[in-house]
């Protein structure tokens, strides 16, 4: 007789080397609650206290490398003078609850020190400068107490433009086939793993691009396999806006491809989405090979909503997915 063990969002589980209190990964968006000079306001620390008290793991809001980036004014500056002090306190809050925390790095624009460049105009020397900046920032995250980094290489961020055949038209070692277009990331990941001890690397990746010259699901899976081979320890699935198609049962974005990806790699996979009902989340876990669910907006509306769910055995989040927090690029809810 085969006994099927049902998965539950509140299961204690292994995520790489981490033991998580539950299967829910809090995903960060933007951080605008800062004072002059970039310092975090007290409200940010209070919010992280509530978040860490209930979730399994945390991905921070976006960190920005360059003041010329499109999203810089909505993001935490990676280089303000109080960065280490502020984020040592944030990471200590997470660790008090035995919750691992990753720092999210994502950017749309890049200036290589001489001029603004895109994926096709940046020189190899410029690529080296970019790689060095990312590796230095990863070391800063480690010093601030973060358990790892999330590399934002999905949506339409700068690093995704290397991976995508729709945008990358290079003819050198950083363009052409899948391996070449992914090379810039593979080199970054290998260097981080070789130079920073005990530091988790997560990649937020497009699994497909629903456009004429975009990446197919098959190629997206191949990209993830290459990232794993280079040292990535977990994958979070995302996509460009036009990639948000549903499977035939209209369950959730990307769910139609999730089992194929999980079968192809041997590292944890996080499915992201605005999940607002505990029963739906458990249904997704038990109708797929998925082990981890990532969500952000419900934590913005109510940072410790999972505590109520745990107590009641079920629940529906306050968030109604109005999307104002995302469209206004904020970590604040505009309704509750």
């Amino acid at each position: 007789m085969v006994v099927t063990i049902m998965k539950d969002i509140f299961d204690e589980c292994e995520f790489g080397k981490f033991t998580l209190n539950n299967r829910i990964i809090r995903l960060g968006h933007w951080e605008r609650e800062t004072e002059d000079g970039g310092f975090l306001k007290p409200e940010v620390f209070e919010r992280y206290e509530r978040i860490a008290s209930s979730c399994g793991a945390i991905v921070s809001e976006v960190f920005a490398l360059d003041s010329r980036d499109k999203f810089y004014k909505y993001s935490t500056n990676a280089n303000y003078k109080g960065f280490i002090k502020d984020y040592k306190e944030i990471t200590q809050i997470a660790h008090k609850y035995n919750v691992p925390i990753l720092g999210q790095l994502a950017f749309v624009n890049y200036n290589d020190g001489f001029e603004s460049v895109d994926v096709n105009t940046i020189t190899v020397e410029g690529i080296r400068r970019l790689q060095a900046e990312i590796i230095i920032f990863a070391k800063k995250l480690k010093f601030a107490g973060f358990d790892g980094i999330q590399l934002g290489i999905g949506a339409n961020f700068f690093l995704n433009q290397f991976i995508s055949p729709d945008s990358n038209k290079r003819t050198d070692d950083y363009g052409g086939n899948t391996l070449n277009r992914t090379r810039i990331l593979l080199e970054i990941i290998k260097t981080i793993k070789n130079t920073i001890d005990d530091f988790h690397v997560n990649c937020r990746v497009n699994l497909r691009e629903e456009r004429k010259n975009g990446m197919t699901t098959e190629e997206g899976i191949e990209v993830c396999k290459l990232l794993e081979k280079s040292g990535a320890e977990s994958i979070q699935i995302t996509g460009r806006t036009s990639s948000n198609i549903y499977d035939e049962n209209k369950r959730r974005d990307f769910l139609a491809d999730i089992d194929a990806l999980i079968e192809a790699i041997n590292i944890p996979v996080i499915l992201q989405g605005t999940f607002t009902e505990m029963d739906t989340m458990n249904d997704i876990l038990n109708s797929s090979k998925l082990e981890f669910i990532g969500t952000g907006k419900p934590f913005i509306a109510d940072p410790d909503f999972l505590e109520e769910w745990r107590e009641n055995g079920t629940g529906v989040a306050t968030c109604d997915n109005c999307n104002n927090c995302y469209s206004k690029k904020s970590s604040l809810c505009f309704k509750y």
Side-chain angles (χ1 to χ4, degrees):
M1 177 179 175
V2 177
V3 178
T4 302
I5 300 176
M6 300 294 286
K7 290 178 282 187
D8 185 87
I9 64 170
F10 290 113
D11 291 338
E12 183 178 280
C13 51
E14 301 303 312
F15 183 85
K17 68 180 183 62
F18 304 114
T19 299
L20 304 190
N21 299 322
N22 57 64
R23 299 181 186 275
I24 305 303
I25 315 297
R26 181 272 191 172
L27 307 178
H29 293 133
W30 316 102
E31 187 57 83
R32 298 172 67 180
E33 288 193 279
T34 56
E35 300 173 320
D36 291 344
F39 292 88
L40 300 179
K41 292 181 180 179
E43 292 84 353
V44 178
F45 302 100
E46 295 168 7
R47 172 162 30 95
Y48 265 91
E49 185 85 34
R50 293 178 64 189
I51 292 168
S53 69
S54 61
C55 67
I58 294 173
V59 177
S60 77
E61 283 78 19
V62 173
F63 290 118
L65 279 179
D66 194 318
S67 62
R68 291 158 290 200
D69 185 59
K70 175 180 180 180
F71 294 130
Y72 178 82
K73 64 181 179 180
Y74 311 119
S75 307
T76 301
N77 175 7
N79 299 308
Y80 75 94
K81 64 181 181 180
F83 180 90
I84 298 296
K85 178 180 181 298
D86 277 354
Y87 280 95
K88 269 189 176 294
E89 185 171 347
I90 293 291
T91 57
Q92 286 169 358
I93 289 171
H95 295 154
K96 179 173 68 174
Y97 294 95
N98 297 316
V99 172
I101 179 169
L102 310 180
Q104 179 185 179
L105 179 65
F107 51 94
V108 177
N109 310 108
Y110 181 66
N111 186 296
D112 69 353
F114 300 97
E115 61 182 345
S116 293
V117 292
D118 62 32
V119 59
N120 295 309
T121 60
I122 188 171
T123 64
V124 173
E125 291 76 15
I127 288 173
R128 294 290 174 265
R129 281 189 287 272
L130 172 57
Q131 291 174 318
E133 285 188 53
I134 293 172
I135 292 160
I136 290 169
F137 180 63
K139 292 182 177 181
K140 181 182 285 190
L141 288 175
K142 174 71 173 181
F143 193 69
F146 283 90
D147 299 290
I149 187 171
Q150 180 181 86
L151 296 172
I153 59 179
N156 197 33
F157 287 111
F158 190 85
L159 292 174
N160 173 66
Q161 294 171 36
F162 271 90
I163 297 174
S164 174
D166 182 54
S167 53
N168 188 337
K169 307 302 181 185
R170 299 177 71 99
T171 57
D172 61 3
D173 288 344
Y174 293 92
N177 61 36
T178 306
L179 174 62
N180 281 358
R181 298 197 316 274
T182 313
R183 187 181 304 277
I184 184 173
L185 274 305
L186 307 182
E187 293 172 344
I188 290 169
I189 294 168
K190 286 178 181 178
T191 303
I192 288 175
K193 298 305 296 181
N194 288 336
T195 58
I196 307 177
D197 293 333
D198 197 25
F199 197 67
H200 188 99
V201 176
N202 169 275
C203 294
R204 185 174 179 227
V205 186
N206 292 342
L207 194 55
R208 61 173 180 269
E209 297 176 305
E210 299 298 320
R211 51 189 65 202
K212 182 178 180 180
N213 299 311
M215 190 168 61
T216 64
T217 299
E218 291 72 23
E219 188 173 22
I221 291 175
E222 184 60 31
V223 166
C224 292
K225 291 167 67 175
L226 290 170
L227 295 171
E228 177 189 14
K229 187 176 180 180
S230 293
E233 293 162 281
S234 61
I235 297 291
Q236 178 187 324
I237 297 306
T238 186
R240 293 184 178 183
T241 302
S242 59
S243 296
N244 294 346
I245 63 173
Y246 293 83
D247 70 2
E248 60 183 3
N249 296 316
K250 297 184 179 180
R251 292 181 295 177
R252 282 287 167 178
D253 301 352
F254 319 116
L255 190 56
D257 303 320
I258 207 75
D259 282 353
L261 174 62
I262 291 171
E263 290 173 356
I265 60 178
N266 295 303
I267 55 178
V269 174
I270 304 166
L271 176 68
Q272 74 172 50
T274 304
F275 300 98
T276 59
E277 298 181 2
M278 179 175 169
D279 290 347
T280 299
M281 295 162 82
N282 279 329
D283 178 64
I284 289 171
L285 288 172
N286 288 293
S287 61
S288 70
K289 297 180 182 296
L290 187 70
E291 300 284 342
F292 305 98
I293 290 177
T295 191
K297 295 171 193 171
F299 284 101
I300 294 176
D302 183 5
D304 53 5
F305 73 96
L306 287 176
E307 281 299 303
E308 182 178 343
W309 287 16
R310 186 192 294 273
E311 292 176 8
N312 295 339
T314 188
V316 179
T318 301
C319 174
D320 62 6
N321 199 24
C322 71
N323 215 36
N324 274 335
C325 59
Y326 186 84
S327 62
K328 295 179 185 296
K329 305 293 184 288
S330 175
S331 55
L332 298 178
C333 180
F334 292 87
K335 295 186 69 174
Y336 304 105

